[in-house]
Amino acid sequence: MFRYICKRMVYLLITLLIILTTTFFLMKKLPGTPFDSERFSLLPADQQAQLLEKYGLNDPVIVQYGKYILNVAKGDFGTSFFYSGQPVSGVIMGRIGPSALIGIQAILIGLSIGLILGIIAAWRHNSGIDYFTMVIAVLGVSVPNFVAAALLQYYVGLKWGLLPVAFWESWKNSVLPSIALSFSVTAMIARFMRTEMLDVLGQDYIVTAKAKGLNQFKVLMRHAVRNSIIPVVTILGPIVVNLLTGSLAVENIYSIPGIGSLFVDSIKTNDYSTIMGITVFYSAFYIFVMLVVDILYSVIDPRIRLASNGKGD
Amino acid sequence: MTKTEIPQELFTKVVVDKDEREHIARPNLTAFQDGWLRLKKNKAAVVSLFVLVIVILLAIFGPVFAKHTYFDTDYSRIYQSPSAAYPFGTDQFGRDQWARIWQGTRISLLIAFAAAFIDLFIGVTFGAVSALFGGRVDAIMQRIIEVLVGVPQLIIVILLMMVMPAGIWTIVLALSITGWVNMARLVRAQILKLKNQEFVLAARVLGTSNRDIILKHLIPNTVGVIVINAMFDIPSAIFTEAFLSFIGIGLAEPNASLGVLINNGYQVLQNFPYLLIFPALVIILIMVCFSILGDGLRDALDPRMRQ
């Protein structure tokens, strides 16, 4: 186990380094400077040089790269060009709250509805509610989250006036974006849970439990649900990825001051250092979640051996 | 204990008709005929296939037969609600939304199919080489995969989109640079599994050449996995394209793709909801159909389902 984690850590670092390098050189290829080109060109030449000097843009690319990697290792992502003078890490930190809140709420909504739907669907296999669940499962992954978010904003927020349509003032503002993000989570979990439950319900020990005379509900809760809920951990990875992508569009639609909207804004304003900072942040988060999921899974289900040769997925 | 005498004449030789013994109970079907038979039984999948064919036909011929081109502007007829002349209405420049939607569908589908095809090509080659060569080659190729798997796809796609000039092929390239990894893993796992199975051993014992084993045994048994994965690749490519255009770094006006149209419609959602609803419905329809068809194919082509 320990060896496995160490090995994964090494990969994690290599992956991060590759992402960092790719991002850095891609950003260098971007046309123009991060400064407002019109106003920048109006500056006298010596001030232009000063600005470039200050942000280290005059050094050869390879020196800039080396400095950047060293700084990142120290946790310093440089200063944001757009939010002038603010350190990127600070800008990102200030934006985590809203993103985390709607992300966690979306997972909670999706998890509870998804699990309930999945369990009932499997229990009442081929019934109306089973078909309903399957429809939800297909729609949930097929309706792009930004379309869902836009429609929710229009109908629930604007037409019916039930909830605020945008901005970040009170908890109420987080409801619609959380719901919009939760659709795909609900769908993935409902579907996965249903399949797992159907599999478990066909096992011999369920027949035994029923034969012992245990009542239906107990069989369901004690034997079936308990055993099928474990593998849900495995789809947490894809779910988190989904939420990360979703947050980019959804935060933009609802004008939420989160990391997703920061990323989109910094893309639009060519704010290199912020883009790189968020890229690293997202990647590190993503890789970390994947690692945790793998470890968690081996802890919960001892049949999975992590350290095995790794052949065959 | 008394012995029961059994008279010799009661013993008769069991005669099995030679033809009967070799008789094959059901017609010999190839994996695809077999899969097709099973897919046909899945009503939802057949309906999806049918709908997809219609959508693809509309995407190909819709713009051709439309009265207006997708970029024709006419300021005398802006923001017209859907009517007989303009089934899906017109947008802020008076462009025919009907022509734009099918043009957009065409572009979105083109991007998705191209990206899926490139993913398939790179992924299958990488996976097959890795599995068949084994040893050091496999080890090195697997390390590459392990590093790439950790890369969040969308981030890289976004970065590439920023650097490269906007256009259809840029999106295809960005999508396929990261998209093939999954295919490679699946193909490798499948071939590794097959390589050690008895029927391959039997073929070897019978003296089948390596080339025939690969062509006749390994590849046909991997096609199912490839087709299914490609089926799920297509909707995800459509989604990513729409997403990129929606946040403003994909295709740009006057080009049309479903993402561009949805973005456009979203801007005026308050007053002209139909400009968002129609492209949204088309993209949802396409995604739903691909996902049902993909599920149907998975059930139909999975050899373990064979009875």
Side-chain angles (χ1 to χ4, degrees):
Chain A
M1 186 71 184
F2 181 70
R3 264 198 63 197
Y4 171 79
I5 296 179
C6 288
K7 203 180 115 195
R8 283 291 298 261
M9 284 297 188
V10 173
Y11 277 120
L12 199 152
L13 285 177
I14 298 177
T15 310
L16 267 184
L17 191 66
I18 289 180
I19 293 173
L20 212 60
T21 310
T22 322
T23 321
F24 182 85
F25 287 104
L26 282 179
M27 290 299 100
K28 283 291 145 199
K29 289 215 73 133
L30 273 186
T33 62
F35 310 110
D36 186 325
S37 50
E38 218 166 286
R39 278 189 284 171
F40 186 71
S41 57
L42 287 178
L43 287 176
D46 59 322
Q47 285 189 25
Q48 284 187 4
Q50 231 173 10
L51 259 175
L52 290 175
E53 188 63 41
K54 180 167 180 259
Y55 287 103
L57 294 170
N58 275 339
D59 299 334
V61 173
I62 197 76
V63 175
Q64 291 184 33
Y65 172 68
K67 274 188 189 164
Y68 184 70
I69 297 287
L70 279 180
N71 282 335
V72 167
K74 282 185 269 175
D76 175 11
F77 292 101
T79 40
S80 165
F81 293 112
F82 186 72
Y83 302 93
S84 44
Q86 289 188 50
V88 169
S89 45
V91 176
I92 294 179
M93 284 301 162
R95 297 287 200 120
I96 287 183
S99 293
L101 180 71
I102 59 169
I104 291 170
Q105 285 186 155
I107 288 192
L108 289 181
I109 299 172
L111 205 60
S112 37
I113 301 180
L115 284 180
I116 293 172
L117 278 179
I119 291 171
I120 300 179
W123 191 30
R124 295 268 174 258
H125 188 35
N126 284 335
S127 69
I129 194 150
D130 188 15
Y131 293 127
F132 173 74
T133 306
M134 287 317 285
V135 169
I136 294 277
V138 170
L139 276 183
V141 290
S142 302
V143 179
N145 43 39
F146 50 91
V147 172
L151 292 178
L152 272 181
Q153 187 184 39
Y154 179 62
Y155 284 105
V156 183
L158 210 67
K159 274 215 149 162
W160 305 332
L162 295 178
L163 286 160
V165 280
F167 302 118
W168 194 251
E169 281 141 4
S170 70
W171 175 77
K172 271 187 174 175
N173 294 79
S174 73
V175 177
L176 280 184
S178 304
I179 295 177
L181 274 181
S182 75
F183 285 136
S184 59
V185 184
T186 310
M188 285 161 88
I189 289 183
R191 183 185 184 139
F192 193 84
M193 191 63 189
R194 177 179 173 274
T195 320
E196 278 300 318
M197 279 280 288
L198 283 178
D199 189 42
V200 168
L201 283 174
Q203 299 284 330
D204 290 343
Y205 58 81
I206 298 291
V207 181
T208 313
K210 279 185 189 158
K212 277 194 314 191
L214 228 58
N215 73 37
Q216 282 265 4
F217 188 71
K218 272 190 180 159
V219 174
L220 191 74
M221 286 329 245
R222 281 217 192 135
H223 295 276
V225 172
R226 253 201 210 173
N227 281 301
S228 16
I229 219 163
I230 297 170
V232 172
V233 175
T234 47
I235 54 166
L236 275 181
I239 286 179
V240 169
V241 176
N242 229 304
L243 288 179
L244 279 185
T245 5
S247 70
L248 293 187
V250 171
E251 282 181 14
N252 235 356
I253 289 177
Y254 291 98
S255 313
I256 292 167
I259 296 184
S261 52
L262 178 66
F263 192 45
V264 177
D265 289 345
S266 52
I267 288 170
K268 287 180 177 161
T269 51
N270 267 4
D271 189 349
Y272 301 158
S273 45
T274 312
I275 296 174
M276 286 195 278
I278 298 179
T279 308
V280 176
F281 175 82
Y282 268 153
S283 314
F285 180 68
Y286 172 80
I287 297 171
F288 177 72
V289 169
M290 293 301 169
L291 180 65
V292 170
V293 165
D294 283 353
I295 293 174
L296 211 61
Y297 197 49
S298 78
V299 171
I300 300 173
D301 192 343
R303 283 173 302 183
I304 308 287
R305 287 273 169 272
L306 283 181
S308 67
N309 54 19
K311 284 226 169 116
D313 294 329
Chain B
M1 218 165 116
T2 54
K3 273 188 190 167
T4 329
E5 285 287 326
I6 302 174
Q8 191 66 39
E9 56 271 23
L10 279 182
F11 288 100
T12 53
K13 209 172 172 185
V14 178
V15 182
V16 176
D17 185 11
K18 219 174 178 187
D19 290 340
E20 187 58 32
R21 197 168 50 190
E22 298 292 317
H23 177 70
I24 293 167
R26 53 176 215 172
N28 201 354
L29 297 175
T30 64
F32 274 102
Q33 289 167 327
D34 205 37
W36 174 240
L37 279 181
R38 240 178 282 123
L39 187 68
K40 272 201 297 194
K41 280 190 206 141
N42 184 340
K43 274 186 212 129
V46 174
V47 172
S48 303
L49 184 62
F50 186 68
V51 173
L52 279 178
V53 169
I54 292 181
V55 169
I56 291 173
L57 286 179
L58 275 169
I60 296 174
F61 298 111
V64 180
F65 292 119
K67 275 168 263 153
H68 315 269
T69 60
Y70 69 92
F71 49 80
D72 261 356
T73 56
D74 180 350
Y75 290 94
S76 66
R77 50 176 165 93
I78 60 170
Y79 290 129
Q80 299 215 347
S81 297
S83 61
Y86 303 104
F88 291 160
T90 59
D91 68 0
Q92 76 268 40
F93 299 118
R95 290 176 299 201
D96 180 19
Q97 192 71 358
W98 168 268
R100 282 185 74 70
I101 282 185
W102 297 122
Q103 174 68 18
T105 312
R106 182 195 273 190
I107 300 294
S108 289
L109 285 173
L110 178 71
I111 290 173
F113 279 113
F117 183 76
I118 297 176
D119 284 357
L120 190 149
F121 184 73
I122 303 178
V124 171
T125 316
F126 197 97
V129 167
S130 180
L132 290 172
F133 279 68
R136 295 241 340 242
V137 178
D138 185 37
I140 293 171
M141 290 174 98
Q142 278 323 101
R143 294 300 87 78
I144 295 175
I145 293 252
E146 258 163 89
V147 169
L148 286 180
V149 160
V151 179
Q153 189 186 3
L154 193 80
I155 301 284
I156 297 299
V157 172
I158 289 179
L159 291 176
L160 286 172
M161 291 300 302
M162 290 176 60
V163 178
M164 297 190 287
I168 297 173
W169 298 108
T170 306
I171 300 187
V172 171
L173 185 68
L175 284 175
S176 36
I177 279 183
T178 48
W180 57 271
V181 178
N182 209 16
M183 180 72 93
R185 295 180 96 190
L186 288 172
V187 169
R188 174 179 173 272
Q190 178 76 1
I191 291 188
L192 276 185
K193 203 173 80 190
L194 291 171
K195 229 169 88 174
N196 299 318
Q197 275 183 7
E198 282 79 3
F199 72 92
V200 175
L201 183 67
R204 242 178 246 289
V205 171
L206 288 170
T208 319
S209 69
N210 263 336
R211 188 175 145 268
D212 274 5
I213 289 183
I214 294 173
L215 288 182
K216 294 209 171 127
H217 294 293
L218 297 181
I219 290 184
N221 277 299
T222 317
V223 169
V225 173
I226 297 172
V227 169
I228 294 161
N229 193 46
M231 266 300 162
F232 288 111
D233 250 12
I234 292 173
S236 97
I238 290 180
F239 169 79
T240 313
E241 181 280 318
F243 175 81
L244 292 173
S245 301
F246 184 77
I247 62 171
I249 53 172
L251 288 179
E253 297 274 358
N255 268 323
S257 77
L258 289 174
V260 171
L261 293 173
I262 290 175
N263 187 17
N264 232 340
Y266 174 66
Q267 311 297 339
V268 293
L269 176 61
Q270 247 185 70
N271 302 315
F272 309 101
Y274 62 89
L275 282 180
L276 173 74
I277 306 273
F278 288 121
L281 279 180
V282 173
I283 199 172
I284 292 172
L285 192 68
I286 295 177
M287 304 266 289
V288 166
C289 289
F290 267 113
S291 120
I292 294 176
L293 185 61
D295 283 344
L297 274 177
R298 177 162 53 195
D299 293 343
L301 291 180
D302 191 339
R304 277 168 303 175
M305 295 282 294
R306 195 187 267 247
Q307 283 157 359

